Amino acid sequence: MILIIYAHPYPRHSHANQRLLQAVKDIPGVEVRELYELYPDFNIDIDAEQRALERADMVVLQHPMQWYSLPPLLKLWIDKVLEHGWAYGHEGNALVGKDCLWAVTSGGDEQHFALGDYPNFAALGQPLQATAIYCGMKWQPYFAVHNTFTCNEPALIAAGEAYRQRLVQYLMEHSEQAVEQESVHG
């Protein structure tokens, strides 16, 4: 199962992230948790979030880029849900072996991120990548949609189709691996 942790502070104003969600919501085996809808008061139900993560084979962290970083509720979600003793540390192995995908949108083009000592968009995912690896997860190549402030409808449709294909491909490969493991062990 793929679990999408979706964090957009202004979901009604999003055209790119909403288009991505519309493209994948109907895929069997995909569950979406919209953090700003679930927790408008920022009071996260840690147990519910951990149970959802336990069901997942792949966790997708989907959000818009905000000043080169995460929306505040997603950061809080990481701080609260990925607890010591559950996600990492002594006996903290709930996420070991799960895949993690960063799905991000940005208003500018990729060149907007060519600033500083590490002028590469992928460097902005480093904190999430390090978090995933620290929790024993397998980091996947990121999925990004740039120029969302100026992209047209055909570009949004194409981005949604590419996102859908990425998730469907993962599910197909994962189910094939499960069948192979069952035939070896069965």
Coordinates of all heavy atoms in Angstrom, one line a residue, residues 73-137:
L73 N 3.0 22.2 9.2 CA 2.3 21.1 9.7 C 3.1 19.8 9.4 O 3.1 18.8 10.2 CB 0.9 21.0 9.3 CG 0.0 19.9 9.9 CD1 0.1 19.9 11.4 CD2 -1.4 20.0 9.4
L74 N 3.7 19.7 8.2 CA 4.4 18.5 7.8 C 5.7 18.4 8.7 O 6.0 17.3 9.2 CB 4.9 18.5 6.4 CG 5.6 17.3 5.9 CD1 4.9 16.0 6.2 CD2 5.9 17.4 4.4
K75 N 6.3 19.5 9.0 CA 7.5 19.4 9.9 C 7.0 19.0 11.3 O 7.7 18.1 11.9 CB 8.1 20.8 10.0 CG 9.3 20.9 11.0 CD 10.4 20.0 10.7 CE 11.6 20.2 11.6 NZ 11.8 19.3 12.6
L76 N 5.9 19.5 11.8 CA 5.4 19.1 13.1 C 5.0 17.6 13.1 O 5.3 16.9 14.0 CB 4.2 19.9 13.5 CG 3.6 19.6 14.9 CD1 4.6 19.9 16.0 CD2 2.3 20.4 15.1
W77 N 4.4 17.1 12.0 CA 4.0 15.7 11.8 C 5.3 14.8 12.0 O 5.3 13.8 12.7 CB 3.4 15.5 10.5 CG 2.9 14.2 10.2 CD1 1.6 13.7 10.5 CD2 3.6 13.1 9.6 NE1 1.5 12.4 10.1 CE2 2.7 12.0 9.5 CE3 4.9 13.0 9.1 CZ2 3.1 10.8 9.0 CZ3 5.3 11.8 8.5 CH2 4.4 10.7 8.5
I78 N 6.4 15.2 11.3 CA 7.6 14.4 11.4 C 8.1 14.4 12.8 O 8.5 13.4 13.4 CB 8.7 15.0 10.4 CG1 8.3 14.7 9.0 CG2 10.1 14.5 10.7 CD1 9.1 15.5 7.9
D79 N 8.1 15.6 13.5 CA 8.6 15.7 14.8 C 7.8 14.9 15.8 O 8.4 14.2 16.7 CB 8.6 17.2 15.3 CG 9.6 18.0 14.6 OD1 10.5 17.5 13.9 OD2 9.5 19.3 14.7
K80 N 6.5 14.8 15.6 CA 5.6 14.1 16.6 C 5.4 12.6 16.3 O 5.5 11.8 17.2 CB 4.2 14.8 16.6 CG 4.2 16.2 17.1 CD 4.5 16.3 18.6 CE 4.4 17.7 19.1 NZ 4.7 17.8 20.5
V81 N 5.2 12.3 15.0 CA 4.9 10.9 14.6 C 6.1 10.0 14.6 O 6.0 8.9 15.0 CB 4.1 11.0 13.3 CG1 3.8 9.5 12.8 CG2 2.8 11.8 13.4
L82 N 7.2 10.5 14.1 CA 8.4 9.7 14.0 C 9.1 9.6 15.4 O 10.2 10.1 15.5 CB 9.3 10.1 12.9 CG 8.6 10.2 11.5 CD1 9.6 10.6 10.5 CD2 7.9 9.0 11.1
E83 N 8.5 9.1 16.4 CA 9.0 9.1 17.7 C 10.2 8.1 17.9 O 10.2 7.0 17.3 CB 7.9 8.6 18.7 CG 6.7 9.5 18.8 CD 5.7 9.0 19.8 OE1 5.2 7.8 19.6 OE2 5.3 9.7 20.7
H84 N 11.0 8.5 18.9 CA 12.1 7.6 19.4 C 11.4 6.4 20.0 O 10.4 6.5 20.7 CB 12.9 8.4 20.4 CG 14.0 7.5 20.9 ND1 13.9 6.7 22.0 CD2 15.3 7.4 20.5 CE1 15.0 6.1 22.3 NE2 15.9 6.5 21.4
G85 N 12.0 5.2 19.7 CA 11.4 4.0 20.2 C 10.3 3.4 19.3 O 9.9 2.3 19.5
W86 N 9.9 4.2 18.3 CA 8.9 3.7 17.4 C 9.5 3.7 16.0 O 9.6 2.8 15.3 CB 7.6 4.5 17.4 CG 6.6 4.0 16.5 CD1 5.7 2.9 16.7 CD2 6.3 4.4 15.1 NE1 4.9 2.7 15.6 CE2 5.3 3.6 14.6 CE3 6.8 5.4 14.3 CZ2 4.7 3.7 13.3 CZ3 6.3 5.6 13.1 CH2 5.3 4.7 12.6
A87 N 10.0 4.9 15.6 CA 10.5 5.1 14.2 C 12.1 4.9 14.2 O 12.6 4.7 13.1 CB 10.1 6.4 13.6
Y88 N 12.7 5.2 15.3 CA 14.2 5.1 15.4 C 14.6 4.8 16.8 O 13.7 4.9 17.7 CB 14.8 6.3 14.8 CG 14.6 7.6 15.7 CD1 15.5 8.0 16.6 CD2 13.4 8.3 15.6 CE1 15.3 9.1 17.4 CE2 13.2 9.4 16.4 CZ 14.1 9.8 17.3 OH 13.9 10.9 18.1
G89 N 15.8 4.6 17.0 CA 16.3 4.4 18.4 C 16.1 2.9 18.8 O 15.8 2.1 18.0
H90 N 16.3 2.7 20.1 CA 16.2 1.4 20.7 C 14.8 0.8 20.4 O 13.8 1.5 20.8 CB 16.5 1.4 22.2 CG 16.4 0.0 22.8 ND1 17.4 -0.9 22.5 CD2 15.6 -0.5 23.7 CE1 17.1 -2.0 23.2 NE2 16.0 -1.8 23.9
E91 N 14.7 -0.3 19.7 CA 13.4 -0.9 19.3 C 12.5 -0.1 18.4 O 11.4 -0.4 18.2 CB 12.6 -1.3 20.6 CG 13.3 -2.4 21.4 CD 12.5 -2.8 22.6 OE1 11.2 -2.7 22.5 OE2 13.1 -3.3 23.5
G92 N 13.1 1.0 17.8 CA 12.4 1.9 16.9 C 12.5 1.4 15.5 O 13.4 1.9 14.8
N93 N 11.8 0.4 15.1 CA 12.0 -0.2 13.8 C 10.7 -0.3 12.9 O 10.6 -1.0 12.0 CB 12.6 -1.6 13.9 CG 11.7 -2.5 14.8 OD1 10.5 -2.1 15.1 ND2 12.2 -3.7 15.1
A94 N 9.7 0.5 13.3 CA 8.4 0.5 12.6 C 8.5 0.8 11.1 O 7.6 0.3 10.3 CB 7.4 1.4 13.3
L95 N 9.5 1.6 10.7 CA 9.6 2.0 9.3 C 10.7 1.3 8.5 O 10.8 1.6 7.3 CB 9.8 3.5 9.2 CG 8.7 4.3 9.9 CD1 9.0 5.8 9.9 CD2 7.3 4.1 9.3
V96 N 11.4 0.4 9.1 CA 12.5 -0.2 8.5 C 12.1 -1.0 7.3 O 11.1 -1.8 7.3 CB 13.3 -1.2 9.5 CG1 14.3 -2.0 8.8 CG2 13.9 -0.4 10.6
G97 N 12.8 -0.7 6.1 CA 12.5 -1.4 4.9 C 11.4 -0.8 4.0 O 11.2 -1.2 2.9
K98 N 10.7 0.2 4.6 CA 9.6 0.8 3.8 C 10.3 1.8 2.8 O 11.4 2.4 3.1 CB 8.6 1.6 4.7 CG 7.8 0.6 5.6 CD 6.9 1.4 6.5 CE 6.2 0.5 7.4 NZ 5.2 -0.4 6.8
D99 N 9.7 2.1 1.7 CA 10.2 3.1 0.8 C 9.6 4.4 1.1 O 8.5 4.6 1.7 CB 9.8 2.7 -0.7 CG 10.4 1.4 -1.1 OD1 11.7 1.4 -1.2 OD2 9.7 0.4 -1.4
C100 N 10.4 5.5 0.8 CA 10.0 6.9 1.0 C 10.2 7.7 -0.3 O 11.3 7.6 -0.8 CB 10.7 7.5 2.2 SG 10.1 9.1 2.7
L101 N 9.2 8.4 -0.7 CA 9.2 9.2 -1.9 C 8.8 10.6 -1.5 O 7.8 10.8 -0.9 CB 8.2 8.6 -2.9 CG 8.0 9.5 -4.2 CD1 9.2 9.6 -5.0 CD2 6.8 8.9 -5.0
W102 N 9.6 11.5 -2.0 CA 9.4 13.0 -1.8 C 8.7 13.4 -3.1 O 9.3 13.4 -4.2 CB 10.7 13.7 -1.6 CG 10.6 15.2 -1.3 CD1 9.7 15.8 -0.7 CD2 11.6 16.1 -1.8 NE1 9.9 17.2 -0.6 CE2 11.1 17.4 -1.3 CE3 12.7 16.1 -2.5 CZ2 11.8 18.6 -1.6 CZ3 13.4 17.2 -2.8 CH2 13.0 18.5 -2.3
A103 N 7.5 13.9 -3.0 CA 6.7 14.5 -4.1 C 6.5 15.9 -3.8 O 5.7 16.3 -2.9 CB 5.4 13.7 -4.4
V104 N 7.1 16.8 -4.6 CA 7.1 18.2 -4.2 C 6.8 19.1 -5.5 O 7.1 18.7 -6.6 CB 8.5 18.6 -3.6 CG1 9.6 18.4 -4.7 CG2 8.5 20.0 -3.1
T105 N 6.2 20.2 -5.2 CA 5.9 21.2 -6.2 C 6.6 22.5 -5.9 O 6.8 22.8 -4.7 CB 4.4 21.4 -6.4 OG1 3.8 22.0 -5.2 CG2 3.6 20.2 -6.8
S106 N 6.9 23.2 -6.9 CA 7.5 24.6 -6.7 C 7.0 25.5 -7.7 O 6.7 25.2 -8.8 CB 9.1 24.5 -6.8 OG 9.5 24.3 -8.1
G107 N 6.8 26.8 -7.2 CA 6.3 27.8 -8.1 C 7.3 28.2 -9.2 O 6.9 28.6 -10.3
G108 N 8.5 28.2 -8.9 CA 9.5 28.6 -9.8 C 10.1 27.5 -10.6 O 9.8 26.3 -10.4
D109 N 11.0 27.8 -11.5 CA 11.6 26.7 -12.3 C 12.8 26.2 -11.5 O 13.2 26.7 -10.4 CB 12.0 27.2 -13.7 CG 13.1 28.3 -13.7 OD1 13.8 28.4 -12.7 OD2 13.1 29.0 -14.7
E110 N 13.4 25.1 -12.0 CA 14.5 24.5 -11.2 C 15.7 25.4 -11.0 O 16.4 25.3 -10.0 CB 14.9 23.2 -11.9 CG 15.6 22.2 -11.0 CD 15.7 20.8 -11.5 OE1 15.0 20.5 -12.5 OE2 16.4 20.0 -10.9
Q111 N 15.9 26.4 -11.9 CA 17.0 27.3 -11.7 C 16.9 28.2 -10.5 O 17.8 28.7 -10.0 CB 17.2 28.1 -13.0 CG 17.8 27.3 -14.2 CD 16.9 26.2 -14.7 OE1 15.7 26.3 -14.7 NE2 17.6 25.2 -15.2
H112 N 15.6 28.4 -10.0 CA 15.4 29.2 -8.8 C 16.1 28.6 -7.6 O 16.3 29.2 -6.6 CB 13.9 29.3 -8.5 CG 13.2 30.3 -9.3 ND1 12.5 30.0 -10.4 CD2 13.1 31.6 -9.1 CE1 12.0 31.1 -10.9 NE2 12.3 32.1 -10.2
F113 N 16.5 27.3 -7.7 CA 17.1 26.6 -6.6 C 18.6 26.5 -6.7 O 19.2 25.8 -6.0 CB 16.4 25.3 -6.4 CG 14.9 25.4 -6.2 CD1 14.1 25.3 -7.2 CD2 14.5 25.7 -4.9 CE1 12.7 25.4 -7.1 CE2 13.1 25.9 -4.7 CZ 12.2 25.8 -5.8
A114 N 19.2 27.2 -7.7 CA 20.6 27.1 -8.0 C 21.3 28.2 -7.2 O 22.0 29.0 -7.7 CB 20.9 27.2 -9.5
L115 N 21.1 28.3 -5.9 CA 21.6 29.3 -5.0 C 22.4 28.6 -3.9 O 22.2 27.5 -3.6 CB 20.5 30.1 -4.4 CG 19.5 30.8 -5.3 CD1 18.4 31.4 -4.5 CD2 20.2 31.9 -6.0
G116 N 23.4 29.4 -3.4 CA 24.1 28.9 -2.2 C 25.2 27.9 -2.6 O 25.6 27.8 -3.7
D117 N 25.8 27.3 -1.6 CA 26.9 26.4 -1.7 C 26.5 25.1 -2.4 O 27.4 24.4 -2.9 CB 27.6 26.1 -0.4 CG 28.3 27.3 0.2 OD1 28.6 28.2 -0.6 OD2 28.5 27.3 1.4
Y118 N 25.3 24.7 -2.4 CA 24.8 23.5 -3.0 C 23.7 23.8 -4.0 O 22.5 23.5 -3.7 CB 24.3 22.5 -1.8 CG 25.4 22.3 -0.8 CD1 25.4 23.0 0.4 CD2 26.4 21.4 -1.0 CE1 26.4 22.9 1.3 CE2 27.5 21.2 -0.1 CZ 27.4 22.0 1.0 OH 28.4 21.8 2.0
P119 N 24.1 24.3 -5.1 CA 23.0 24.8 -6.1 C 22.4 23.6 -6.9 O 22.6 23.5 -8.1 CB 23.9 25.7 -7.0 CG 25.2 25.1 -7.0 CD 25.4 24.6 -5.6
N120 N 21.6 22.8 -6.2 CA 21.0 21.7 -6.8 C 19.7 21.5 -6.1 O 19.6 21.4 -4.8 CB 21.9 20.5 -6.7 CG 21.4 19.2 -7.3 OD1 20.2 19.0 -7.3 ND2 22.2 18.5 -8.0
F121 N 18.6 21.3 -6.8 CA 17.3 21.1 -6.2 C 17.3 19.9 -5.3 O 16.7 20.0 -4.2 CB 16.2 21.0 -7.3 CG 14.8 20.8 -6.7 CD1 14.1 21.9 -6.2 CD2 14.2 19.6 -6.6 CE1 12.9 21.8 -5.6 CE2 13.0 19.5 -6.0 CZ 12.3 20.6 -5.6
A122 N 17.9 18.9 -5.6 CA 17.9 17.6 -4.8 C 18.5 17.9 -3.4 O 18.1 17.2 -2.5 CB 18.7 16.5 -5.5
A123 N 19.4 18.9 -3.3 CA 19.9 19.2 -1.9 C 18.8 19.6 -1.0 O 19.0 19.4 0.2 CB 21.0 20.3 -2.1
L124 N 17.7 20.2 -1.5 CA 16.7 20.6 -0.6 C 15.9 19.4 0.0 O 15.3 19.6 1.1 CB 15.7 21.5 -1.3 CG 16.3 22.8 -1.9 CD1 15.3 23.5 -2.8 CD2 16.8 23.7 -0.7
G125 N 16.0 18.3 -0.6 CA 15.4 17.1 0.0 C 16.3 16.4 1.0 O 15.8 15.4 1.6
Q126 N 17.5 16.8 1.2 CA 18.5 16.1 2.1 C 17.9 15.9 3.5 O 18.1 14.9 4.0 CB 19.8 16.9 2.0 CG 20.9 16.6 3.0 CD 21.1 15.1 3.4 OE1 20.4 14.3 2.9 NE2 21.9 14.8 4.3
P127 N 17.3 16.9 4.1 CA 16.8 16.7 5.5 C 15.7 15.5 5.5 O 15.7 14.7 6.4 CB 16.1 18.0 5.9 CG 16.9 19.0 5.1 CD 17.1 18.3 3.8
L128 N 14.9 15.5 4.5 CA 13.9 14.4 4.4 C 14.6 13.1 4.1 O 14.2 12.0 4.7 CB 12.8 14.7 3.4 CG 11.8 15.8 3.7 CD1 10.9 16.0 2.5 CD2 11.0 15.4 4.9
Q129 N 15.5 13.1 3.2 CA 16.3 11.9 2.9 C 17.0 11.4 4.2 O 16.9 10.2 4.5 CB 17.3 12.1 1.8 CG 18.1 10.9 1.4 CD 19.1 11.2 0.3 OE1 19.5 12.3 0.1 NE2 19.5 10.2 -0.4
A130 N 17.7 12.2 4.9 CA 18.4 11.8 6.1 C 17.4 11.3 7.1 O 17.7 10.3 7.8 CB 19.2 13.0 6.7
T131 N 16.2 11.9 7.3 CA 15.2 11.4 8.2 C 14.8 10.0 7.8 O 14.7 9.1 8.7 CB 14.0 12.4 8.2 OG1 14.5 13.7 8.7 CG2 12.9 11.9 9.2
A132 N 14.5 9.8 6.5 CA 14.0 8.5 6.1 C 15.1 7.4 6.3 O 14.8 6.4 6.9 CB 13.7 8.6 4.6
I133 N 16.3 7.7 6.0 CA 17.4 6.8 6.1 C 17.6 6.5 7.6 O 17.8 5.3 8.0 CB 18.7 7.3 5.4 CG1 18.5 7.3 3.9 CG2 19.9 6.4 5.8 CD1 19.6 8.0 3.1
Y134 N 17.6 7.5 8.4 CA 17.7 7.3 9.9 C 16.7 6.4 10.5 O 16.9 5.6 11.4 CB 17.7 8.7 10.6 CG 18.2 8.7 12.0 CD1 19.5 8.4 12.3 CD2 17.3 8.9 13.1 CE1 20.0 8.4 13.6 CE2 17.8 8.9 14.4 CZ 19.1 8.6 14.6 OH 19.6 8.6 15.9
C135 N 15.5 6.4 9.9 CA 14.4 5.5 10.3 C 14.4 4.2 9.6 O 13.5 3.4 9.7 CB 13.0 6.2 10.1 SG 12.8 7.7 11.1
G136 N 15.5 3.9 8.8 CA 15.6 2.6 8.1 C 14.8 2.5 6.8 O 14.7 1.4 6.3
M137 N 14.4 3.6 6.3 CA 13.6 3.6 5.1 C 14.5 3.7 3.9 O 15.7 4.1 4.0 CB 12.6 4.8 5.0 CG 11.6 4.7 6.2 SD 10.5 6.1 6.2 CE 9.3 5.6 5.0

